[in-house]
Amino acid sequence: QSALTQPPSVSGSFGQSVIISCTGTSSDIGSYKRVSWYKQSPGTVPKLMITEVSDRPSGVPDRFSGSKSGNTASLTISGLQAEDEAHYYCISYTTSNTWVFGGGTKLTVL
Amino acid sequence: EVQLVESGGGLIQPGGSLRLSCAASGFIVRYSYMSWIRQAPGKGLEWVSLMHSGGTTYYADSVRGRFTVSRDDSESTMYLQMNNLRPEDTAVYYCARDRGLLGPGPNWGQGTLVTVSS
């Protein structure tokens, strides 16, 4: 159950786009569409942003989108806003019937 | 409205035991999949356990054999029994309502802090 691999940090300018990658293996991301993304601002509970690789829950801006190719999932945030600055975590179901998170990525909006 | 409230955290010595509770309202626990997730101070999220609606349980390698999830349907409460605690178990523990087999959904509790230290 090794953690999924995310870049520790990414940054982008206001209004631009960023992509956060989440790399796993054929035993997790590569086997299922069960990949979600969470946003966590300091001192708050994680908020679900993307589910089933690319579905946005109600209320999540369409600036947030998800995709998957092979063993890597990606979260794209377009039209960066100041309020997007936070930590982002991916999670995937595994062939062991467990879940595994990524290490998290800190997004800085410049 | 779905609500989850964790309790039972505190300071415990290494090797000790603690039981966390997750009181649920706004949905029927016995029909739900629910997870425990933890976050060490200043660190990332770590999935801990999953309980299916039918009672089947799964655990992360780091806690398997030491932690046990259970549920009291009459009390709409899920529990996490933690034995043989280690300093590396120090974390805020969250319970979450899963979206079936789609993983932790939007409903999380506020968390309860467990500190393992002598």
Side-chain angles (χ1 to χ4, degrees):
Chain A
Q1 280 182 356
S2 298
L4 306 174
T5 301
Q6 297 181 234
S9 64
V10 298
S11 63
S13 299
F14 180 87
Q16 291 190 329
S17 297
V18 294
I19 299 175
I20 300 174
S21 62
C22 173
T23 301
T25 69
S26 58
S27 296
D28 37 66
I29 293 177
S31 286
Y32 301 101
K33 271 199 66 179
R34 299 174 198 170
V35 177
S36 298
W37 290 88
Y38 297 86
K39 171 188 177 182
Q40 188 178 33
S41 300
T44 68
V45 175
K47 176 185 177 182
L48 180 65
M49 304 301 286
I50 295 287
T51 184
E52 295 180 83
V53 173
S54 58
D55 289 349
R56 274 188 314 277
S58 174
V60 174
D62 59 8
R63 302 185 295 102
F64 290 82
S65 61
S67 62
K68 189 189 87 160
S69 178
N71 299 335
T72 298
S74 298
L75 173 70
T76 300
I77 309 171
S78 58
L80 278 173
Q81 306 289 315
E83 61 263 31
D84 297 335
E85 193 162 287
H87 280 87
Y88 291 83
Y89 296 91
C90 58
I91 185 175
S92 173
Y93 195 59
T94 81
T95 55
S96 299
N97 300 310
T98 60
W99 291 86
V100 61
F101 276 101
T105 298
K106 181 176 182 179
L107 169 63
T108 301
V109 179
L110 304 172
Chain B
E1 179 191 4
V2 172
Q3 276 198 320
L4 297 163
V5 179
E6 302 93 338
S7 61
L11 175 63
I12 187 78
Q13 291 190 337
S17 298
L18 209 58
R19 189 179 80 160
L20 305 183
S21 300
C22 171
S25 59
F27 66 99
I28 300 174
V29 167
R30 72 173 181 268
Y31 295 150
S32 301
Y33 288 50
M34 294 182 68
S35 285
W36 285 98
I37 295 151
R38 69 184 181 183
Q39 187 169 33
K43 303 297 184 183
L45 300 170
E46 181 186 11
W47 177 84
V48 173
S49 69
L50 166 65
M51 172 173 265
H52 286 191
S53 56
T56 305
T57 55
Y58 298 94
Y59 301 93
D61 289 345
S62 57
V63 306
R64 188 177 298 114
R66 299 187 299 123
F67 290 13
T68 303
V69 178
S70 62
R71 191 178 72 203
D72 185 333
D73 294 337
S74 66
E75 295 291 331
S76 292
T77 299
M78 181 174 67
Y79 301 99
L80 182 66
Q81 177 67 44
M82 305 185 296
N83 298 330
N84 191 19
L85 282 161
R86 306 166 180 169
E88 56 264 36
D89 295 319
T90 295
V92 172
Y93 284 74
Y94 298 99
C95 64
R97 182 190 183 194
D98 285 26
R99 299 170 66 240
L101 280 174
L102 298 181
N107 305 116
W108 293 48
Q110 289 299 309
T112 186
L113 176 62
V114 173
T115 303
V116 185
S117 174
S118 53

